[in-house]
Amino acid sequence: MLGAGPAGLTAALYAARGKLKTLVVTGPMVGGQIALTNHVDNYPGFPDGVSGPELSDRFKAHAERFGAEFLDAEATKIDLASRPIRVWVGEKLLEAKALIVATGMTHKRLGVPGEDRLLGRGVFVCATCDAILYEDKKVVVVGGGDSAVRLRNLKTGEVSVEDADGVLLAIGWDPNTSILRGQLDLDELGYIKSDGIDSGKPGVFLAGDLIDRKYRQVATSCGSGCAAALEAITWLEGRPAE
Ligand SMILES: Cc1cc2nc3c(=O)[nH]c(=O)nc-3n(C[C@H](O)[C@H](O)[C@H](O)COP(=O)(O)OP(=O)(O)OC[C@H]3O[C@@H](n4cnc5c(N)ncnc54)[C@H](O)[C@@H]3O)c2cc1C
């Protein structure tokens, strides 16, 4: 498993509970993007909401309960054509019969002071998730070519400073697919061309925001993580014994 966000952790839970020896290479962000926010209001089962870090911890603990193991490191290279599939973490080589890649997305940043510190605390990147929290409040939407919070009127050139309760960063996303370059078909923006759970490579499955250009929610990521693990289990069961 590559990735320890909602998709990777759900896949790990299903794979481990399905009696597969399961290793999660966590990458730089254990818990994934959701660990960056202090309030998740739309994940089922938490009617009063839950903090992102707590939800992530619960996902991880649930996978650990069934025996999933974790390696806090970043995969640096993979070979999807080899058998077993090979994954490098720096100099260390890992081998797997099946692989689920759930390396997610990274939101683009403006690069202004306070941006990271206030993410999930006034700065938000997901309108579906957080817009409701700013009902009746003043929100600045940064997008469509703007590159500062401070605003410049495109007609007059006048620069003004706007006070706001929230800032929605709508400046785009980068898929975390650099290690897939040369392994799977990517478009010019780095998105995987075939957006499905089945990567087209035997035993390699994809899950979560990585393959989702539309919804990008915790619930949808968990759903595809679950599906990817079930596909991996079925695929492994159908393989001839080695
Ligand atoms: C600030 C913020 C607030 C949000 N709020 C909500 C909300 O309230 N409700 C909601 O439903 N959704 C919310 N979202 C969206 C939600 O967090 C994502 O849809 C979800 O986290 C996607 O899960 P994922 O597992 O597919 O990917 P990610 O969460 O992006 O996780 C990717 C994982 O891959 C790992 N990784 C990356 N590269 C490598 C590598 N080379 N090797 C190994 N591992 C690697 C990372 O470390 C990480 O663990 C929010 C997102 C953000 C940024």
Side-chain angles (χ1 to χ4, degrees):
M1 204 83 56
L2 299 187
L9 294 173
T10 305
L13 150 63
Y14 272 79
R17 196 164 183 272
K19 306 287 182 214
L20 298 186
K21 187 166 167 41
T22 304
L23 176 69
V24 182
V25 179
T26 66
M29 213 174 8
V30 181
Q33 297 166 57
I34 201 62
L36 296 172
T37 190
N38 66 355
H39 193 69
V40 183
D41 223 10
N42 57 2
Y43 189 71
F46 294 89
D48 300 320
V50 58
S51 82
E54 183 186 342
L55 187 60
S56 303
D57 287 349
R58 283 173 175 264
F59 285 158
K60 183 165 184 266
H62 203 162
E64 277 172 329
R65 184 184 141 210
F66 295 113
E69 293 178 14
F70 290 81
L71 177 64
D72 287 345
E74 194 166 352
T76 47
K77 190 175 139 191
I78 53 180
D79 180 355
L80 302 183
S82 66
R83 286 292 167 270
I85 296 160
R86 295 190 290 177
V87 174
W88 284 264
V89 171
E91 297 295 306
K92 189 181 169 76
L93 172 64
L94 306 169
E95 295 184 325
K97 289 181 181 162
L99 181 71
I100 294 172
V101 184
T103 47
M105 295 268 169
T106 304
H107 69 275
K108 290 187 179 162
R109 287 169 162 78
L110 288 172
V112 296
E115 182 181 12
D116 286 343
R117 181 173 51 82
L118 294 175
L119 188 66
R121 297 166 180 81
V123 175
F124 62 110
V125 293
C126 169
T128 309
C129 316
D130 292 338
I132 198 170
L133 305 175
Y134 295 88
E135 212 171 21
D136 301 327
K137 299 217 165 93
K138 189 168 170 186
V139 171
V140 172
V141 179
V142 182
D146 290 339
S147 61
V149 175
R150 186 183 298 165
L151 305 176
R152 187 175 62 237
N153 185 311
L154 292 177
K155 285 189 183 145
T156 65
E158 188 191 340
V159 175
S160 62
V161 175
E162 200 70 35
D163 290 332
D165 301 300
V167 178
L168 169 62
L169 295 186
I171 53 175
W173 297 80
D174 288 319
N176 297 327
T177 51
S178 54
I179 48 164
L180 294 173
R181 205 162 284 286
Q183 302 284 326
L184 296 180
D185 262 357
L186 306 182
D187 68 16
E188 65 286 355
L189 295 175
Y191 286 89
I192 300 164
K193 280 190 182 163
S194 66
D195 271 357
I197 284 170
D198 186 342
S199 73
K201 302 272 183 195
V204 181
F205 303 92
L206 309 168
D209 277 13
L210 182 72
I211 51 166
D212 183 352
R213 293 193 191 207
K214 192 168 178 186
Y215 304 111
R216 291 182 194 155
Q217 296 290 290
V218 176
T220 49
S221 297
C222 291
S224 72
C226 161
L230 294 176
E231 288 296 331
I233 291 168
T234 305
W235 185 82
L236 286 166
E237 283 170 352
R239 280 174 86 233
E242 283 175 349

